[in-house]
Amino acid sequence: MAMKEIFKTCEETPDPIPTKVTGQIPKWLSGSLLRNSPGKFEQGDEKYRHWFDGMALIHKFHIQNGDVSYQSKFLRSDAYVQGLEQKRIVMSEFGTTAYPDPCKSIFSRMFSYFTPMSRPRTDNGNVHLMQVGEEYYAHTELPYIRKVDPRTLDSGKLKVDYQKYVAVNGATAHAQIDVDGTVYNMGTTYGKDGGYSLIKIPLPDKGEVENPLQKASIIAKIPQKYGAFPNYFHSFAMTENYFVFVEQPFFLNVLKIMAGPLFGKGVDWAFQFHKEIPTQFHVIEKATGKVWTTKYTADAMMTFHHINAYEDDGHLVMDLCAFAKMDAVFQFYLHNLHTWSKEEADKKLGDTDNYIARFVLPLDVSQDGPDDENLVKLSDTLASAIRKQDSIYCVPEILTDANFDLPRVNEKYNGRKYRYIYAVDVYRTPFRLVKVDAETKENKYWTEENCYAAEPVFVEAPNPTSEDDGVVLSAVVRVGKGKSTCFLLVLDGKTFTELGRAELSQPNKVPMQTHGIYVANM
């Protein structure tokens, strides 16, 4: 199966290597595309089970004067370093359980089995990179972030724990950066007084860059409804004046998390989706941290990735990639990816009921009025909202029902009214890129035989004349004859046609990647 070649262990490339450029990469494009990905799927003779388990590999495509170089280094996390030293999996990951050290005494191993929460939590930051000022940190949804030098990709010197500064047990992999550089994130606290916290991370003062969370504080908290079943979430929405937290009926069973190691189960075992429970949207004021009491609801759904949100004439418009069921979580086991035929992969990955949804929350709602009145007064959307019992029941407009995810927009339009979405179709093979026009509902595609495209990143051109005036970057893995090769693809942001590509000459260097950021002039 072709996908086996893009979900397997790759060696790091610690020193920059040149690429072969074909076509024309704009001369104004000067900077680095930093990417994160799982890149090592075994420790010694022990193998990880899920794509999300692999050890973090940080990538850098450096672009200057039309040329591109590539390098990569494994994140020197404790999970990675100790795994190499002990030649085994030492910390449990999303879908893989770590077993007690065979060198320990029988008593110590029994203690590890029956006190699973005493085991160290993984710090394998293999999902995204978070920018705080001029510093960059690899992270997942657990409380640890680790500093990465964007020039050398060195890591390991600074590991920061959210829990030492704010009362959360973890935070999302998709922090939001406001126009003034302030970073916001949503965290979860487990336990009796558990809930969901909005975290504010101001820019550090000079001399404090070694501690990005020193001034972090919780500015809003939403109580947890279901005790030992906290809500799972991967991202959240931000506009100029508000945040939106989507409380979806997608839960983590804490008891299963605790018991998992006893049964050889990873965190994935603890996920539960309850389609009988409605989704609720919580609106939080940015200036005050006030959580609105207005209850906005929708049919049961789940989401990993918010696309964008903005305010428009008394409404809050929020776009996200939605699923009607949670099958997507379980499709990316390595056994599946390594053994499925193309037909099986297309059937399994396509059976996720995925769509891009636009919800519109009316912000100024009176208590009086008929229940069947559509409270959405915008003329450019089919989304609706009506009074229903004690809530405002929202029905989304479907911008496209194609199976797209990993969305990005022109970052200058984050939190503002916008038009274009760039995404990748990871639910059919090979993975193709798409540009969605949210106004006309037209899609443009880039695809090539045996090529698997990663998350697209839009880079705006100097002196732009339109929202899509720029380029779209994607690291593409091509498979064939038992090996993989990679190239950096550069598309025209307007036409979505290829301008150029930079190909690595060495095979099996780059696996399928998750998320990343573009850093100009670096």
Side-chain angles (χ1 to χ4, degrees):
M1 172 59 186
M3 284 202 299
K4 180 178 181 179
E5 305 306 321
I6 65 173
F7 294 102
K8 70 177 184 180
T9 294
C10 293
E11 296 180 357
E12 65 180 4
T13 307
D15 298 315
I17 59 174
T19 63
K20 179 182 178 182
V21 174
T22 56
Q24 294 292 324
I25 296 178
K27 298 290 185 181
W28 59 260
L29 189 63
S30 180
S32 295
L33 179 65
L34 303 178
R35 304 287 300 168
N36 201 340
S37 76
K40 181 176 173 62
F41 296 99
E42 64 280 318
Q43 294 281 21
D45 294 330
E46 298 182 4
K47 298 183 184 298
Y48 292 105
R49 297 176 60 237
H50 198 281
W51 180 38
F52 298 168
D53 299 340
M55 295 293 97
L57 182 61
I58 310 298
H59 312 259
K60 176 181 177 180
F61 294 89
H62 179 63
I63 310 163
Q64 189 172 23
N65 295 324
D67 292 323
V68 180
S69 63
Y70 170 80
Q71 70 180 124
S72 65
K73 290 183 181 179
F74 282 105
L75 186 75
R76 264 51 180 184
S77 64
D78 296 341
Y80 173 79
V81 173
Q82 294 175 24
L84 287 183
E85 292 172 347
Q86 300 181 37
K87 296 182 174 57
R88 67 183 185 90
I89 296 171
V90 298
M91 297 181 188
S92 295
E93 300 290 342
F94 174 83
T96 305
T97 298
Y99 292 94
D101 186 348
C103 296
K104 287 185 177 181
S105 67
I106 293 177
F107 174 80
S108 295
R109 279 182 277 164
M110 287 182 64
F111 181 80
S112 294
Y113 268 122
F114 289 100
T115 55
M117 294 303 285
S118 69
R119 298 185 183 187
R121 300 173 74 186
T122 184
D123 60 342
N124 176 30
N126 66 359
V127 176
H128 211 339
L129 291 157
M130 179 174 71
Q131 181 178 356
V132 182
E134 296 180 356
E135 308 294 330
Y136 301 86
Y137 298 85
H139 65 130
T140 57
E141 295 164 332
L142 291 174
Y144 310 112
I145 61 175
R146 189 173 291 271
K147 185 178 178 181
V148 176
D149 186 324
R151 299 189 181 277
T152 65
L153 301 187
D154 289 340
S155 61
K157 292 183 179 180
L158 179 64
K159 172 183 171 181
V160 184
D161 183 352
Y162 269 98
Q163 298 171 110
K164 292 183 178 181
Y165 304 96
V166 288
V168 297
N169 296 114
T172 81
H174 292 273
Q176 293 273 11
I177 302 178
D178 213 347
V179 291
D180 64 354
T182 301
V183 178
Y184 294 91
N185 208 346
M186 288 291 302
T188 303
T189 304
Y190 302 139
K192 179 181 177 182
D193 298 319
Y196 316 109
S197 299
L198 178 62
I199 306 164
K200 182 178 181 179
I201 307 172
L203 286 174
D205 294 333
K206 289 185 178 180
E208 295 181 351
V209 293
E210 289 299 307
N211 191 344
L213 300 181
Q214 186 170 11
K215 293 184 177 181
S217 63
I218 292 175
I219 63 172
K221 190 168 183 178
I222 298 166
Q224 185 177 306
K225 294 179 183 176
Y226 300 103
F229 298 88
N231 184 254
Y232 171 80
F233 54 97
H234 187 69
S235 60
F236 62 104
M238 181 180 75
T239 70
E240 182 180 356
N241 297 295
Y242 302 98
F243 299 96
V244 182
F245 170 65
V246 178
E247 189 174 10
Q248 55 192 358
F250 187 36
F251 302 102
L252 282 167
N253 186 325
V254 174
L255 298 178
K256 280 192 171 184
I257 293 177
M258 296 175 66
L262 304 179
F263 299 95
K265 301 289 188 179
V267 176
D268 59 315
W269 185 51
F271 281 116
Q272 297 179 356
F273 181 68
H274 291 269
K275 62 182 180 180
E276 75 278 5
I277 298 176
T279 301
Q280 183 171 348
F281 305 122
H282 297 274
V283 176
I284 306 169
E285 293 180 3
K286 187 183 293 185
T288 66
K290 177 183 176 182
V291 181
W292 281 23
T293 57
T294 304
K295 185 177 179 181
Y296 299 94
T297 62
D299 290 340
M301 65 161 196
M302 58 166 286
T303 182
F304 290 109
H305 297 114
H306 284 260
I307 301 170
N308 200 5
Y310 60 90
E311 299 157 42
D312 188 2
D313 195 20
H315 302 75
L316 194 154
V317 181
M318 178 176 60
D319 298 340
L320 48 80
C321 296
F323 298 84
K325 52 187 178 180
M326 71 175 193
D327 294 44
V329 176
F330 302 107
Q331 306 294 21
F332 290 95
Y333 283 102
L334 294 172
H335 173 75
N336 295 339
L337 299 172
H338 291 175
T339 60
W340 278 342
S341 66
K342 174 174 171 52
E343 291 73 21
E344 288 176 306
D346 288 342
K347 183 178 186 302
K348 295 289 187 179
L349 294 175
D351 189 27
T352 55
D353 288 349
N354 172 229
Y355 53 95
I356 292 180
R358 168 165 289 179
F359 288 93
V360 179
L361 313 184
L363 297 177
D364 185 14
V365 180
S366 65
Q367 297 298 320
D368 302 322
D371 288 347
D372 59 353
E373 177 190 4
N374 184 3
L375 302 173
V376 176
K377 306 304 181 183
L378 300 179
S379 61
D380 60 351
T381 182
L382 298 176
S384 64
I386 61 172
R387 297 176 182 86
K388 186 175 182 180
Q389 298 176 347
D390 62 343
S391 73
I392 306 301
Y393 172 67
C394 302
V395 177
E397 175 183 5
I398 308 304
L399 298 183
T400 175
D401 59 1
N403 291 338
F404 302 125
D405 211 330
L406 305 177
R408 297 295 291 262
V409 301
N410 181 338
E411 291 297 323
K412 193 174 78 174
Y413 289 80
N414 188 38
R416 298 170 49 194
K417 190 168 185 177
Y418 78 115
R419 180 172 178 176
Y420 300 108
I421 303 165
Y422 303 94
V424 60
D425 184 354
V426 293
Y427 302 111
R428 58 174 284 165
T429 61
F431 302 162
R432 58 180 178 168
L433 295 169
V434 61
K435 176 186 179 182
V436 179
D437 187 329
E439 287 187 9
T440 67
K441 312 301 186 294
E442 296 176 342
N443 297 340
K444 293 180 179 179
Y445 299 95
W446 179 91
T447 185
E448 190 171 300
E449 186 177 5
N450 297 325
C451 288
Y452 292 76
E455 172 197 59
V457 176
F458 180 87
V459 182
E460 189 174 66
N463 304 312
T465 58
S466 62
E467 178 186 334
D468 57 352
D469 189 0
V471 297
V472 176
L473 307 178
S474 177
V476 180
V477 180
R478 181 196 295 114
V479 297
K481 298 181 179 179
K483 65 180 182 180
S484 66
T485 56
C486 176
F487 59 89
L488 178 66
L489 177 68
V490 183
L491 300 178
D492 183 288
K494 292 183 178 180
T495 65
F496 218 55
T497 56
E498 181 174 339
L499 296 174
R501 63 178 66 183
E503 302 217 25
L504 278 68
S505 59
Q506 301 177 34
N508 304 324
K509 282 289 185 181
V510 184
M512 191 64 198
Q513 299 165 27
T514 47
H515 299 291
I517 56 178
Y518 176 80
V519 184
N521 302 316
M522 190 278 295

